[in-house]
Amino acid sequence: MSAPVIQAPKYPVTREQAITDIIESIALEETGLAHIINAEGEKIQKGKELACDIDELVRLNASIKDTLTNVIKIQMLLQFKLEEIAKFIPKKEPECEY
């Protein structure tokens, strides 16, 4: 397997575009995590139908718990990313209405 190649953009990336790209990447990662969570829910439904005994359900539960624990860790990292990028977004001053 070869290493990924990141090509330089044809045009300079503006600060606003960079912020937008980072926020979009966070949103895409969250979408991926939502799909994983949904798949785990489907796994629970199928497991309820197919399990022969309680031990199988306990193993299934442990597997799902491990997966969801990792999803939560990734979501925490995404939250940190979002908090960091929010520092670079200019704050609009509230307009006074007199």
Side-chain angles (χ1 to χ4, degrees), residues 17 19-30:
Q17 186 60 51
I19 291 170
T20 300
D21 290 348
I22 293 170
I23 292 171
E24 183 178 357
S25 75
I26 292 169
L28 289 170
E29 287 186 67
E30 284 288 349

Side-chain angles (χ1 to χ4, degrees), residues 11-60:
Y11 306 102
V13 176
T14 65
R15 179 179 186 198
E16 291 77 18
Q17 186 60 51
I19 291 170
T20 300
D21 290 348
I22 293 170
I23 292 171
E24 183 178 357
S25 75
I26 292 169
L28 289 170
E29 287 186 67
E30 284 288 349
T31 300
L33 294 175
H35 287 291
I36 292 170
I37 292 169
N38 185 57
E40 293 302 294
E42 291 175 9
K43 191 188 299 184
I44 291 169
Q45 296 300 320
K46 197 57 132 174
K48 284 182 0 183
E49 293 173 16
L50 300 177
C52 296
D53 58 22
I54 191 72
D55 289 335
E56 286 185 7
L57 289 173
V58 169
R59 284 192 299 276
L60 175 66

Side-chain angles (χ1 to χ4, degrees), residues 5 7-9 26 43-44 49-52 62 72 77-78 82-84 86 91:
V5 177
Q7 298 177 357
I26 292 169
K43 191 188 299 184
I44 291 169
E49 293 173 16
L50 300 177
C52 296
I72 289 167
L77 291 173
L78 293 175
L82 192 58
E83 289 170 0
E84 287 302 311
K91 305 288 187 257

